[in-house]
Amino acid sequence: MDEGSGRPRKEWEEGTLEPWRSRNPEREPEFRTLSGIELPVVADRDAWHGEEGLGYPGAYPFTRGIFPTMYRGRLWTMRQYAGFGTAEETNRRFRFLLSQGQTGLSVAFDLPTQMGYDSDDPMALGEVGKVGVAIDSAEDMALLFDEIPLDRVTTSMTINAPAAILLLMYAEAGRRQGVPGDRLGGTIQNDILKEYTARGTYILPPEASLRLVTDTFRYCKEHLPRFHTISISGYHIREAGATAPQEVAFTLANALAYVDAAVAAGLGIDEFAPRLSFFFNAQSDLFEETAKFRAARRLWARLMQERGARDPRSMMLRFHAQTAGSALTAQQPQVNIARVTLQALAAVLGGAQSLHTNGYDEALALPTEASALLALRTQQVIAYETGAADAADPLGGSYHVERLTDLVEQEAEHYLAEIRDLGGAVAAIEQGYVQRRIQDAAYRFQMDVEAKRRKVIGVNILQAEPEELLPLQRIPPQLEETQRRRVQAVRAARDQDAAMRALDALEQAARGTENLLVPLQAAVVAQATLGEMVQRLTGVFGRYRPKDVL
């Protein structure tokens, strides 16, 4: 019997089959996932726990998905991330993508906005509109969604430290359209803890930041009940160099910190937990990524049950996925199309509720309209042509995938136990534990790439001659001055007394214990700018300065 038609189990167990690598010398002597999990030649029933814990889609522990029929009932939301330049430019990109079948909006904000600076602040010089859209006031937010009916789309906003302010500006844009808060839907990222470990766009110290997060939970319960009040992000943790189990563990540890803070503030767990959502990375290791999403769901369900959740919706891990920006290469950028396709497929096989696919040119610049459209079409091909969306958890029961699901979960539990012993996520961050683990994993991966133990097409193998330059998205230099003049015009035209009274009330509230979103909302309506509101908050709480954790 030849190897192509199979061998008896006995020969597999005894290792008497001639290894494939003897005829394929370029293959490695051992095989591991991106996270370093060793892969056997074949996984069988003995390699995983069998049916225990597997269950059915839509049933606890939700390993196989949070809905019984998954995409047979409704496809994931195709939410392409976009934002650059001015509100008008980004609005045009939004309307173009919606006309091409995108089903949800996702806003990228520029760095000054993420850091709480107005576009005319000296700290914003040279960065306005470069990696996202500049939003300084409610006027900008209204322009951003001009002619887009906010009661008919959902909007995700990748904003963290000033998330409450941007959410209130969005609600004001809805009010101007005649859309009340209870008809607005979407998600704010609002995940400040991962900023201290993986991204760096923090403003306030952790305690004050957690107060804003829990105040947002409470405010939205009453005023914006359809909004997901936080999207707890493993994406940036993975982009910083974490492994798949670390991404799961550190994300869920942060999530537990938010849960505990909300409960300590007097909220019942089943009051807010159904509105929690997550944001994960979709890397190139197809089966490990699929297993990662399944393991995260199962682990979260158990953790929430242990904390007293009774509503099944509180135990459901809903997640958005984005293909891995760190996996994109500037060398042979068209090869990124294949990478993005496989990463998106992993997210679909893993049961994502919404998905963004990167443009193939994003290692070089913001995506052009053409590359953004191709990225959207990639999702649509997976949805409509591959059959991947036609069954719930199509890889469930695969010995290989079930084994990886178990191993990712077990390793994630190990990290969670270490964080628990340190006193929780905030304490682990303050002690540098999470940062060190991510740095160590990133270093090991880079060493593997440099030694060619981890192969990357175009980077360390199969290099090609330099290619013709691609047409790239460019941000015109005059944009910054345009945005500076706009924010100054807003300040000049408003009722100055009303704006100052609103800002004074915000500062007074920050010194007390009332919900900060109430005075923030009044300041937004009074045309206070983002930078002015943040200045009042930092005047009370200070700006966070990281400690040396090396």
Coordinates of all heavy atoms in Angstrom, one line a residue, residues 130-170:
K130 N -3.4 61.7 9.3 CA -2.5 60.8 8.6 C -2.9 59.3 8.7 O -2.8 58.6 7.7 CB -1.1 61.0 9.2 CG -0.5 62.4 8.9 CD -0.2 62.5 7.4 CE 0.4 63.8 7.0 NZ 1.7 64.1 7.6
V131 N -3.3 58.8 9.8 CA -3.6 57.4 10.0 C -5.1 57.2 10.3 O -5.5 56.1 10.7 CB -2.8 56.7 11.0 CG1 -1.3 56.8 10.7 CG2 -3.0 57.4 12.4
G132 N -5.9 58.3 10.1 CA -7.3 58.2 10.4 C -7.9 59.6 10.2 O -7.2 60.5 9.8
V133 N -9.2 59.7 10.5 CA -9.9 60.9 10.3 C -9.7 61.8 11.5 O -9.7 61.3 12.7 CB -11.4 60.7 10.0 CG1 -12.1 59.9 11.1 CG2 -12.1 62.0 9.6
A134 N -9.6 63.1 11.3 CA -9.5 64.1 12.4 C -10.9 64.5 12.9 O -11.7 65.0 12.0 CB -8.7 65.3 12.0
I135 N -11.2 64.3 14.1 CA -12.5 64.7 14.7 C -12.2 65.6 15.9 O -11.7 65.1 16.9 CB -13.3 63.5 15.1 CG1 -13.7 62.6 13.9 CG2 -14.6 63.9 15.8 CD1 -14.5 63.3 12.8
D136 N -12.5 66.8 15.8 CA -12.3 67.8 16.9 C -13.6 68.2 17.6 O -13.5 68.6 18.8 CB -11.6 69.0 16.4 CG -10.2 68.8 15.8 OD1 -9.4 68.1 16.6 OD2 -9.9 69.2 14.7
S137 N -14.7 68.1 17.0 CA -16.0 68.6 17.5 C -17.2 67.8 17.0 O -17.0 67.0 16.1 CB -16.1 70.1 17.2 OG -16.4 70.2 15.8
A138 N -18.3 68.2 17.5 CA -19.6 67.6 17.0 C -19.8 67.9 15.6 O -20.5 67.2 14.8 CB -20.8 68.0 17.9
E139 N -19.3 69.1 15.2 CA -19.4 69.5 13.8 C -18.7 68.5 12.8 O -19.3 68.1 11.8 CB -18.9 70.9 13.6 CG -19.6 72.0 14.3 CD -21.1 72.1 13.9 OE1 -21.3 72.0 12.7 OE2 -21.9 72.3 14.7
D140 N -17.5 68.1 13.2 CA -16.8 67.1 12.4 C -17.5 65.8 12.3 O -17.6 65.2 11.3 CB -15.4 66.9 13.0 CG -14.5 68.1 12.8 OD1 -14.6 68.8 11.8 OD2 -13.6 68.3 13.7
M141 N -18.1 65.4 13.5 CA -18.8 64.1 13.5 C -20.0 64.2 12.6 O -20.3 63.2 11.9 CB -19.2 63.7 14.9 CG -19.7 62.3 15.1 SD -18.4 61.1 14.8 CE -17.6 61.0 16.4
A142 N -20.7 65.3 12.6 CA -21.9 65.4 11.7 C -21.5 65.3 10.2 O -22.2 64.7 9.4 CB -22.6 66.7 12.0
L143 N -20.4 66.0 9.9 CA -19.9 65.9 8.5 C -19.5 64.5 8.2 O -19.7 64.0 7.0 CB -18.7 66.8 8.3 CG -19.0 68.3 8.3 CD1 -17.7 69.1 8.3 CD2 -19.8 68.6 7.0
L144 N -18.9 63.8 9.1 CA -18.4 62.4 8.8 C -19.5 61.5 8.4 O -19.3 60.6 7.6 CB -17.7 61.9 10.1 CG -17.1 60.5 10.0 CD1 -16.0 60.4 9.0 CD2 -16.6 60.0 11.4
F145 N -20.7 61.7 9.0 CA -21.9 60.8 8.7 C -22.9 61.5 7.8 O -24.1 61.0 7.8 CB -22.4 60.2 10.0 CG -21.5 59.3 10.7 CD1 -20.7 59.8 11.7 CD2 -21.3 58.0 10.2 CE1 -19.8 58.9 12.3 CE2 -20.4 57.2 10.8 CZ -19.6 57.6 11.9
D146 N -22.6 62.6 7.2 CA -23.5 63.3 6.3 C -24.1 62.3 5.2 O -23.3 61.6 4.6 CB -22.8 64.5 5.6 CG -23.8 65.3 4.9 OD1 -24.9 65.6 5.3 OD2 -23.4 65.8 3.8
E147 N -25.4 62.3 5.1 CA -26.1 61.5 4.1 C -26.0 60.0 4.4 O -26.3 59.2 3.5 CB -25.7 61.8 2.7 CG -25.9 63.3 2.3 CD -25.6 63.5 0.8 OE1 -25.6 62.6 0.0 OE2 -25.3 64.7 0.5
I148 N -25.6 59.6 5.6 CA -25.6 58.2 6.0 C -26.6 58.1 7.1 O -26.4 58.6 8.2 CB -24.2 57.8 6.4 CG1 -23.1 57.9 5.3 CG2 -24.2 56.4 7.0 CD1 -21.7 57.7 5.8
P149 N -27.7 57.4 6.8 CA -28.8 57.3 7.8 C -28.3 56.4 9.0 O -28.2 55.2 8.9 CB -29.9 56.6 7.1 CG -29.3 55.9 5.9 CD -28.0 56.7 5.6
L150 N -28.1 57.0 10.2 CA -27.6 56.3 11.3 C -28.5 55.4 12.0 O -28.1 54.6 12.8 CB -27.0 57.4 12.3 CG -25.9 58.2 11.8 CD1 -25.4 59.1 12.9 CD2 -24.7 57.4 11.3
D151 N -29.8 55.4 11.6 CA -30.7 54.4 12.1 C -30.7 53.2 11.2 O -31.4 52.2 11.5 CB -32.1 55.0 12.2 CG -32.6 55.5 10.9 OD1 -31.8 55.8 10.0 OD2 -33.9 55.8 10.8
R152 N -29.9 53.1 10.1 CA -29.9 52.0 9.2 C -28.6 51.3 9.1 O -28.4 50.3 8.4 CB -30.4 52.4 7.8 CG -31.9 52.8 7.9 CD -32.3 53.6 6.6 NE -32.0 52.8 5.4 CZ -32.0 53.4 4.2 NH1 -32.4 54.6 4.0 NH2 -31.7 52.7 3.1
V153 N -27.5 51.9 9.8 CA -26.2 51.2 9.8 C -25.8 51.2 11.2 O -26.3 51.9 12.1 CB -25.2 52.0 9.0 CG1 -25.6 52.1 7.5 CG2 -24.9 53.4 9.5
T154 N -24.9 50.2 11.5 CA -24.2 50.2 12.8 C -22.8 50.7 12.6 O -22.2 50.5 11.5 CB -24.2 48.8 13.4 OG1 -23.6 47.9 12.5 CG2 -25.6 48.4 13.7
T155 N -22.2 51.3 13.6 CA -20.9 52.0 13.4 C -20.0 51.5 14.6 O -20.4 51.6 15.7 CB -21.0 53.5 13.5 OG1 -21.9 53.9 12.4 CG2 -19.6 54.1 13.3
S156 N -18.8 51.0 14.2 CA -17.8 50.7 15.2 C -16.7 51.8 15.1 O -16.3 52.2 14.1 CB -17.1 49.3 14.8 OG -16.0 49.1 15.6
M157 N -16.3 52.2 16.3 CA -15.3 53.3 16.4 C -14.1 52.8 17.2 O -14.2 52.4 18.4 CB -15.9 54.5 17.1 CG -17.0 55.2 16.2 SD -17.6 56.7 16.9 CE -18.7 56.1 18.2
T158 N -13.0 52.8 16.5 CA -11.7 52.3 17.2 C -11.2 53.5 17.9 O -10.3 54.3 17.4 CB -10.7 51.8 16.1 OG1 -11.3 50.7 15.5 CG2 -9.5 51.3 16.8
I159 N -11.6 53.7 19.1 CA -11.2 54.8 19.9 C -11.3 54.3 21.4 O -12.1 53.6 21.7 CB -12.1 56.1 19.7 CG1 -11.5 57.3 20.3 CG2 -13.5 55.8 20.2 CD1 -10.4 57.9 19.5
N160 N -10.3 54.7 22.2 CA -10.1 54.2 23.5 C -10.2 55.2 24.6 O -11.2 55.4 25.3 CB -8.9 53.3 23.5 CG -9.0 52.1 22.6 OD1 -9.6 51.2 22.9 ND2 -8.3 52.2 21.5
A161 N -9.1 55.9 24.8 CA -9.0 56.9 25.9 C -10.1 57.9 25.9 O -10.8 58.1 26.9 CB -7.6 57.5 26.0
P162 N -10.4 58.5 24.7 CA -11.5 59.5 24.7 C -12.8 58.9 24.1 O -13.6 59.6 23.5 CB -11.0 60.6 23.7 CG -10.1 59.9 22.8 CD -9.6 58.6 23.5
A163 N -13.0 57.6 24.3 CA -14.1 56.9 23.6 C -15.5 57.5 24.0 O -16.4 57.6 23.2 CB -14.1 55.4 24.0
A164 N -15.6 57.8 25.3 CA -16.9 58.4 25.8 C -17.2 59.7 25.0 O -18.4 59.9 24.7 CB -16.8 58.7 27.3
I165 N -16.2 60.5 24.8 CA -16.5 61.8 24.1 C -16.9 61.6 22.7 O -17.8 62.2 22.2 CB -15.2 62.7 24.2 CG1 -14.9 63.0 25.6 CG2 -15.4 63.9 23.3 CD1 -13.5 63.7 25.8
L166 N -16.2 60.7 22.0 CA -16.5 60.4 20.6 C -17.9 59.7 20.4 O -18.7 60.0 19.5 CB -15.5 59.5 19.9 CG -14.2 60.2 19.3 CD1 -14.7 61.1 18.1 CD2 -13.5 61.0 20.3
L167 N -18.3 58.9 21.4 CA -19.6 58.3 21.4 C -20.7 59.3 21.5 O -21.7 59.3 20.8 CB -19.7 57.3 22.5 CG -21.1 56.6 22.8 CD1 -21.5 55.8 21.5 CD2 -21.1 55.8 24.0
L168 N -20.4 60.3 22.4 CA -21.4 61.4 22.6 C -21.5 62.3 21.4 O -22.6 62.8 21.1 CB -21.1 62.2 23.9 CG -21.2 61.4 25.2 CD1 -20.6 62.1 26.4 CD2 -22.7 61.0 25.5
M169 N -20.4 62.5 20.7 CA -20.4 63.2 19.5 C -21.2 62.5 18.4 O -22.0 63.1 17.6 CB -19.0 63.5 19.0 CG -18.3 64.5 19.8 SD -16.6 64.8 19.1 CE -16.0 66.1 20.2
Y170 N -21.1 61.2 18.4 CA -21.9 60.3 17.5 C -23.4 60.4 17.8 O -24.2 60.6 16.9 CB -21.4 58.9 17.5 CG -22.1 57.9 16.6 CD1 -21.6 57.9 15.2 CD2 -23.1 57.1 17.0 CE1 -22.2 57.0 14.4 CE2 -23.7 56.2 16.1 CZ -23.2 56.2 14.8 OH -23.8 55.3 13.9

